[in-house]
Amino acid sequence: MGLTTTFGHGEIISATSFNNTHSTVYAKALDNIDVLKKLNATVLHEVDATTMAGHSKLSGKNFDQIVFNFPHVGYVFGLKDKDMIRLNQDFVSGFFNNAGMILSVDGEVHIRHRWTSRV
């Protein structure tokens, strides 16, 4: 929420989620979505980060910054640790490949890991 509240508007922000966030387990998600919409940000659900460049609302756009918070495939019970690591590596690689297709020439990609401390 920091960017939209800092700018005071959200016209230049597109926020996406993989899940249909209206039925999410994230406690603050609905409040955050309401703030984004009130500030006129674009909010899209069911966007796969590994195929986002082909999404009808994102295709053909160029973004100056793409921020990906907590990229992780989730937990798949029964998989060995090395297999989970490979799934996550493939996921992040797919994200970077797609981000490159919609990133402006001098654009930046920022990834925030779950355990990254706030500065």
Side-chain angles (χ1 to χ4, degrees):
M1 297 318 315
L3 291 175
T4 53
T5 53
T6 298
F7 294 144
H9 63 85
E11 287 92 358
I12 62 171
I13 294 175
S14 294
T16 66
S17 71
F18 180 66
N19 298 342
N20 179 343
T21 308
H22 297 288
S23 60
T24 186
V25 296
Y26 303 107
K28 291 190 69 175
L30 295 177
D31 291 339
N32 290 341
I33 291 167
D34 286 342
V35 170
L36 287 165
K37 287 180 177 179
K38 285 178 185 170
L39 294 170
N40 295 317
T42 299
V43 177
L44 304 171
H45 302 294
E46 300 176 0
V47 176
D48 183 334
T50 65
T51 60
M52 63 187 171
H55 190 281
S56 63
K57 302 272 184 172
L58 301 175
S59 180
K61 290 191 175 196
N62 286 305
F63 293 89
D64 294 326
Q65 292 188 1
I66 298 174
V67 179
F68 196 172
N69 290 314
F70 318 132
H72 194 278
V73 296
Y75 295 99
V76 180
F77 294 103
L79 282 186
K80 296 177 182 178
D81 286 346
K82 67 177 183 154
D83 295 326
M84 284 299 303
I85 290 169
R86 171 54 63 197
L87 282 176
N88 280 291
Q89 289 172 333
D90 291 346
F91 178 58
V92 172
S93 177
F95 161 73
F96 277 121
N97 287 333
N98 260 262
M101 292 183 220
I102 57 176
L103 194 64
S104 64
V105 174
D106 293 324
E108 302 174 354
V109 172
H110 298 265
I111 292 185
R112 184 170 187 272
H113 188 270
R114 179 176 177 201
W115 301 114
T116 303
S117 61
R118 294 184 84 174
V119 184

